[in-house]
Amino acid sequence: MEVVAPNAEEVLHFKQAYRSYSETGVWQQTYQVFTSGWLNIEGAMLVKPEDTLDADYRVYLTATTERSLRELLLAFPRQCAGMFHIAEEWIEKRIGDILEGDFVHTDSRKYFSGIKRGSHTKAEQRVVSKRKDEIAAHIRKLASLRGKLEHSQFVIEGEMMVERAVADGLPIETILYTTDFVSTPDGKKFIKRVFDENLSCYLVNDGVMGSVTTTRPVPSIVASVHLNYPLFLSESGKLNFHFSRNCTLLIAENVGNPDNLGMTLRTADAAGVSAVLLSGNGASPFHKNCIRASRGAVGRLPMFQTPKINLAIEQLKLAGWRVIGATAKAENDLYAMEYTCPTAIVVGNENTGLLDETRERCTDLVRIPMAAGQSSLNVGVAAGVLLFELSRQKRSIMTSI
């Protein structure tokens, strides 16, 4: 990986501050250091107050995987402008998923000047009392997949999901809430928090809230979140996906039930995958049932799409990936296989499993051993068994080095 070194003087200042901290236990300058990664560090972000540029912070950012980058960008505080020194070129294509802004060219280098989406200075906090209000009309448009993709936003519903999205730092564009939500001390505290973070919040009556969602009983709070769902392959057919040697990718082919897909995404998130690739004619990851079942994975976990899974698998193999298909028809036992990285795990439709052409293109096929009486598992459960076995072997290799 080619890394562009940050400003040498800034690095020297940080080293001096760290040396002083080692001797005194007190930071003489204000720095914040964020890291990302599960089994090992895969990204880092150095943040320091900025008083010379038109920004709140100067930020140095580097990452080796899609997930590690997204985790760092989500950790950047709302309502704060940053001047981002980007160490890798691929990050330039992804930074707009979480931040809005522009690239600034100077005599010495290029920066990204931006702020987290949704926390800009034009935030509104007002009452919406009519269903025809433009805010209510906009949220209704997001009910369809076409509306989501057209406006690059999806909707999350309910107290737990919205509060989690705020805590996770998701790029929230709009929040709608009812008087029931702020009838409790916790609800009032939460709304004050999002006011302070300069998010657009609208108090609506039950009729307006009922008009923007088909969920019953009607939720007391909903929010729209910026949507990113890039193609896995570029127009030239090459990978539009950045990875490191230790990456794990989950590929879900034609998973049709949105609840099952949400459970699968939640499992993949917990297993620490670098990203998820969704293919075929399966359920949308932005269906409200999928979002609810994912328990926060949708929005936090990098997700890619492809209409042609076979081309994606071929490109992964050319890039050195091992692609393992899960099927009850395999001869190889899951626990008898030694894994190598990077590895992609492929799970299929709940009823039909992997397509024949998909199985043919995998480098390996494995089956999950199980007692007599059942021949298959729920796709989310199967993904969990596969991914956590891979994780176990990866941890074993790392501890033995």
Side-chain angles (χ1 to χ4, degrees), residues 22-263:
S22 300
E23 295 173 353
T24 66
V26 177
W27 279 102
Q28 300 301 320
Q29 297 191 45
T30 303
Y31 288 91
Q32 295 182 72
V33 179
F34 299 86
T35 60
S36 59
W38 181 34
L39 300 179
N40 55 285
I41 294 177
E42 297 178 337
M45 182 170 68
L46 172 65
V47 178
K48 71 176 290 288
E50 176 57 55
D51 54 9
T52 59
L53 301 173
D54 186 20
D56 299 297
Y57 295 106
R58 184 186 292 260
V59 185
Y60 296 94
L61 179 65
T62 185
T64 60
T65 68
E66 299 279 354
R67 178 169 183 154
S68 60
L69 172 64
R70 190 168 182 86
E71 287 178 350
L72 292 173
L73 293 176
L74 290 176
F76 188 73
R78 300 185 199 276
Q79 204 181 355
C80 295
M83 291 294 291
F84 289 79
H85 299 242
I86 299 174
E88 288 86 28
E89 185 176 349
W90 73 272
I91 295 177
E92 296 180 6
K93 296 188 298 183
R94 298 283 184 258
I95 197 166
D97 294 343
I98 305 297
L99 307 177
E100 55 182 336
D102 298 292
F103 285 97
V104 178
H105 296 265
T106 66
D107 294 337
S108 58
R109 64 178 303 166
K110 181 170 66 174
Y111 305 88
F112 180 83
S113 175
I115 190 170
K116 183 169 286 186
R117 289 184 175 277
S119 63
H120 45 71
T121 56
K122 297 180 181 179
E124 284 189 325
Q125 286 105 30
R126 64 178 176 86
V127 175
V128 172
S129 58
K130 297 182 179 180
R131 300 183 184 189
K132 294 183 179 180
D133 188 285
E134 60 180 358
I135 294 300
H138 173 70
I139 299 298
R140 277 195 296 273
K141 291 178 182 177
L142 303 182
S144 68
L145 180 58
R146 179 180 178 181
K148 293 178 177 71
L149 297 177
E150 180 181 349
H151 296 281
S152 297
Q153 294 178 37
F154 66 95
V155 176
I156 53 178
E157 301 180 344
E159 180 178 338
M160 182 189 73
M161 296 300 297
V162 175
E163 291 184 359
R164 182 165 187 171
V166 171
D168 286 344
L170 266 57
I172 294 173
E173 301 282 2
T174 304
I175 294 176
L176 273 62
Y177 65 98
T178 67
T179 52
D180 283 346
F181 183 78
V182 290
S183 64
T184 66
D186 287 343
K188 291 178 181 178
K189 182 179 179 180
F190 177 77
I191 292 299
K192 182 181 185 304
R193 173 183 176 179
V194 295
F195 275 14
D196 292 342
E197 294 187 10
N198 210 40
L199 293 173
S200 293
C201 301
Y202 303 90
L203 175 62
V204 302
N205 57 44
D206 292 340
V208 171
M209 186 66 85
S211 75
V212 302
T213 176
T214 58
T215 300
R216 296 296 182 269
V218 177
S220 61
I221 187 167
V222 302
S224 66
V225 181
H226 181 73
L227 181 156
N228 64 297
Y229 194 30
L231 289 168
F232 193 70
L233 300 178
S234 65
E235 292 183 359
S236 63
K238 301 299 181 182
L239 292 177
N240 179 36
F241 168 68
H242 190 83
F243 63 91
S244 68
R245 185 178 64 84
N246 293 321
C247 271
T248 303
L249 175 71
L250 178 68
I251 303 177
E253 179 187 62
N254 297 333
V255 176
N257 185 295
D259 292 284
N260 283 343
L261 180 58
M263 181 189 299

Side-chain angles (χ1 to χ4, degrees), residues 171-381:
I172 294 173
E173 301 282 2
T174 304
I175 294 176
L176 273 62
Y177 65 98
T178 67
T179 52
D180 283 346
F181 183 78
V182 290
S183 64
T184 66
D186 287 343
K188 291 178 181 178
K189 182 179 179 180
F190 177 77
I191 292 299
K192 182 181 185 304
R193 173 183 176 179
V194 295
F195 275 14
D196 292 342
E197 294 187 10
N198 210 40
L199 293 173
S200 293
C201 301
Y202 303 90
L203 175 62
V204 302
N205 57 44
D206 292 340
V208 171
M209 186 66 85
S211 75
V212 302
T213 176
T214 58
T215 300
R216 296 296 182 269
V218 177
S220 61
I221 187 167
V222 302
S224 66
V225 181
H226 181 73
L227 181 156
N228 64 297
Y229 194 30
L231 289 168
F232 193 70
L233 300 178
S234 65
E235 292 183 359
S236 63
K238 301 299 181 182
L239 292 177
N240 179 36
F241 168 68
H242 190 83
F243 63 91
S244 68
R245 185 178 64 84
N246 293 321
C247 271
T248 303
L249 175 71
L250 178 68
I251 303 177
E253 179 187 62
N254 297 333
V255 176
N257 185 295
D259 292 284
N260 283 343
L261 180 58
M263 181 189 299
T264 303
L265 294 174
R266 179 182 182 182
T267 301
D269 189 20
V273 302
S274 300
V276 173
L277 171 60
L278 303 176
S279 66
N281 300 314
S284 165
F286 305 106
H287 188 286
K288 66 177 184 179
N289 288 12
C290 179
I291 293 169
R292 181 176 61 245
S294 79
R295 288 297 190 269
V298 175
R300 188 175 58 249
L301 186 64
M303 296 187 299
F304 292 79
Q305 59 175 309
T306 181
K308 300 178 180 179
I309 185 174
N310 295 333
L311 293 180
I313 289 176
E314 291 299 329
Q315 287 300 315
L316 285 169
K317 288 157 58 177
L318 288 173
W321 281 70
R322 190 176 187 182
V323 182
I324 300 175
T327 171
K329 301 177 181 179
E331 294 182 1
N332 295 324
D333 188 309
L334 165 66
Y335 300 111
M337 177 167 288
E338 294 184 2
Y339 290 87
T340 58
C341 290
T343 301
I345 300 291
V346 192
V347 295
N349 178 269
E350 301 93 326
N351 299 315
T352 60
L354 297 180
L355 298 176
D356 291 341
E357 53 265 37
T358 302
R359 290 201 302 270
E360 292 171 0
R361 284 172 171 78
C362 291
T363 59
D364 303 272
L365 297 174
V366 298
R367 60 180 173 80
I368 299 173
M370 58 188 75
Q374 293 291 338
S375 60
S376 64
L377 296 172
N378 173 279
V379 63
V381 175

